[in-house]
Amino acid sequence: MCAMARPRKPLLSTDRIVETARALVDAEGLAAVSTRRLAAELGVSGPSLYNHFRTKDQILEAVADSVSAQVELSMFEDGRDWRTALHDWAVSYRTALRDHPNIVPVLARGPGRRPAGLRLADAVFGAMVRAGWPPAQATSIGALMRYFVMGSALGSFAGGFVDDESAYDPDDYPHLGQAHLLSEQQEKIDERAFETGLRALLDGLAVQYAGLVREG
């Protein structure tokens, strides 16, 4: 009996479409994604994509959810206290967004019906309530952390300064004499700023939490 011939191209799947779209978004931005472009990248006909996704927006939603799925959530289940868990989760969250910054505008719309995004929101809210935060404040904490992490992923503070010393005339900008050096230390400065802000945010929450404990 003759063996069945293998297909020359990998079979089209939802995961393969999402992976290809995510790579395209990472490399060229949201505007680069179209069903025609994706079909070309995948080596298939355009209509075949509609067996998996009806619209471009659905594809982008799936790409966004694939990034949310990269965020670690185990810290909310392994016995870490709420502050440590929030810290470690925020670091993991920012890492995922930093690796895929072009999809952040889609993620910023909120989780909608995306499963990984909803699991993320559920994990944070549930952990805060279990720790003793009232539900309304637990919701505010989830929102606050999301604003902070996404804001940090939208751009680089240090990378926003040009490396041309002449751009910072001391007569106009007497305190920016070293600003031209910021861009070459972009990663270090941005990481330090994120950690400083995160710790300050958690310190403030800890003060509120101590008040709740005293009142309780």
Side-chain angles (χ1 to χ4, degrees):
M1 177 181 287
C2 296
M4 183 178 293
R6 294 181 179 177
R8 294 182 179 179
K9 297 175 183 175
L11 294 175
L12 193 60
S13 67
T14 298
D15 287 346
R16 187 168 167 239
I17 294 170
V18 171
E19 289 169 7
T20 302
R22 186 173 61 230
L24 195 55
V25 170
D26 288 345
E28 301 181 33
L30 295 172
V33 178
S34 68
T35 53
R36 178 179 295 181
R37 177 72 184 278
L38 270 178
E41 294 285 335
L42 290 161
V44 299
S45 63
S48 62
L49 295 177
Y50 297 123
N51 293 324
H52 301 271
F53 297 100
R54 293 193 300 274
T55 65
K56 169 186 168 178
D57 284 344
Q58 284 189 346
I59 295 171
L60 292 177
E61 287 287 309
V63 170
D65 213 38
S66 74
V67 173
S68 292
Q70 296 175 14
V71 181
E72 182 62 50
L73 297 177
S74 62
M75 64 282 294
F76 296 120
E77 302 292 342
D78 62 9
R80 275 174 261 192
D81 64 272
W82 70 266
R83 176 179 172 144
T84 302
L86 269 185
H87 174 278
D88 296 347
W89 169 75
V91 171
S92 177
Y93 194 6
R94 180 171 180 264
T95 297
L97 300 190
R98 185 189 59 197
D99 291 344
H100 307 282
N102 291 335
I103 200 63
V104 172
V106 179
L107 286 164
R109 300 171 191 164
R113 296 177 181 272
R114 298 192 298 267
L118 290 170
R119 282 193 294 272
L120 189 154
D122 181 74
V124 175
F125 178 80
M128 295 306 99
V129 171
R130 287 196 303 274
W133 287 96
Q137 286 177 276
T139 299
S140 295
I141 290 170
L144 171 63
M145 297 298 290
R146 180 168 165 269
Y147 298 152
F148 177 71
V149 175
M150 286 197 176
S152 75
L154 284 173
S156 164
F157 171 80
F161 292 85
V162 299
D163 60 2
D164 179 2
E165 188 173 4
S166 67
Y168 309 101
D169 188 322
D171 291 334
D172 296 323
Y173 317 108
H175 306 296
L176 296 182
Q178 301 296 307
H180 64 287
L181 302 176
L182 292 175
S183 61
E184 66 185 39
Q185 300 184 59
Q186 175 178 330
E187 184 173 352
K188 179 193 294 186
I189 292 170
D190 290 344
E191 289 290 337
R192 189 170 62 215
F194 176 78
E195 189 64 29
T196 298
L198 179 58
R199 290 187 181 278
L201 187 157
L202 293 172
D203 284 347
L205 289 176
V207 171
Q208 292 185 39
Y209 187 76
L212 287 174
V213 172
R214 286 194 300 270
E215 294 172 2

